Amino acid sequence: MASNISTTSAPIGVFDSGFGGLSILREIRKVLPQYDYIFLGDNARAPYGNRSYQLVYEFTLQAVKHLFNQGCQLVILACNTASAKALRSIQQRDLAGIDPNRRVLGVIRPTVEEIGNLTTTRNVGIFGTPGTVQSLSYDIEIGKMFPDIKVYSHACPMWVPLVENRESDGPGADYFVKKDVDSLMSQCADIDAIILGCTHYPLLCEKIKKYVPAHVKIIEQGPIVAHSLKDYLDRHPEMEQRCSKGGSCRYTTTEDASRFSPVASIFVNHTVNAEHVIL
Ligand code: DGL
């Protein structure tokens, strides 16, 4: 695999099952505009949220290998489900055999690192996909870092399909968002911060705010992940130097590119001309 590395371009890879990771990429590019990026959305196989561990792991590993073949030295899994179900195995088992000098980072750890500063009542809510919630990744990581915080999770299986099908502004979204917000808040009325633990959910943020009590903070991951990546690159100059700096961004998808591009353009606020890829 090392023989496939491009000598001229080493973009930072950003991967998600679908469109959601674009909400992370957009924020990363605001903070770190100088680097080259390649986004990969596995839209043809999204959503991942209801899939088994094995399948999420296999799909994510295929995506990481593909991005490495595009020259990426560093890949961000901008997907909580993939971070929860595949990241640890890839970091601990696969990387050594592929190329021990490359890195794959997730979105759960940086989010958890921030949460201690964002709650006063020490009661935190998490919205996530069924896969993320069942993995207990947030509960475990928060328990390690902030044992005084109580975590209340709620899975929202309909939210990703609403976003992927461009229904996030429609009345169907109101129905499901209200139902899921009520379920989470009924677990504990003292929740004062809610993590949107799925990168698709910022697209539903306005609706979520409509149904969550006004004093509750809604925490989006994009800015958190962006600043955490900056911090990582500051602390790892050996990796920083290997990332190419042309300010470019390529968008790739496993779906038909003509279906992907118009929706992606809404997420990132500029015109996207995506390429279709096969993993
Ligand atoms: N956007 C992804 C996440 O952060 C996954 C959504 C899905 O494919 O179900 O979990």
Side-chain angles (χ1 to χ4, degrees), residues 201-265:
Y201 296 175
L203 263 277
L204 289 162
C205 199
E206 288 316 308
K207 298 244 187 259
I208 296 167
K209 283 183 179 154
K210 196 163 140 189
Y211 297 111
V212 164
H215 68 279
V216 176
K217 292 189 198 84
I218 306 296
I219 299 159
E220 296 188 37
Q221 297 178 295
I224 295 174
V225 173
H227 285 98
S228 164
L229 177 59
K230 179 177 183 318
D231 182 54
Y232 175 86
L233 292 170
D234 288 344
R235 287 184 291 108
H236 294 87
E238 75 294 348
M239 176 55 78
E240 198 283 331
Q241 281 152 22
R242 287 161 63 207
C243 298
S244 60
K245 297 164 192 75
S248 71
C249 189
R250 272 175 70 201
Y251 294 91
T252 62
T253 175
T254 55
E255 239 297 6
D256 185 330
S258 64
R259 288 170 66 101
F260 176 87
S261 297
V263 186
S265 306

Side-chain angles (χ1 to χ4, degrees), residues 11-29:
I12 295 174
V14 178
F15 167 69
D16 184 34
S17 60
F19 294 112
L22 293 166
S23 68
I24 303 284
L25 174 66
R26 188 184 58 213
E27 299 303 319
I28 291 178
R29 290 192 76 202

Side-chain angles (χ1 to χ4, degrees), residues 107-132:
V107 290
I108 293 180
R109 179 100 196 195
T111 308
V112 167
E113 281 169 357
E114 281 303 305
I115 194 68
N117 303 321
L118 299 170
T119 170
T120 308
T121 64
R122 312 312 269 172
N123 290 299
V124 168
I126 316 276
F127 285 129
T129 65
T132 298

Side-chain angles (χ1 to χ4, degrees), residues 16-17 47-49 79-81 129 160 198-200:
D16 184 34
S17 60
Y48 280 12
C79 174
N80 290 266
T81 310
T129 65
V160 171
C198 170
T199 55
H200 282 68

Side-chain angles (χ1 to χ4, degrees), residues 26-43:
R26 188 184 58 213
E27 299 303 319
I28 291 178
R29 290 192 76 202
K30 279 187 201 160
V31 175
L32 299 164
Q34 67 271 39
Y35 296 100
D36 293 312
Y37 294 92
I38 176 168
F39 179 83
L40 171 61
D42 190 9
N43 301 71

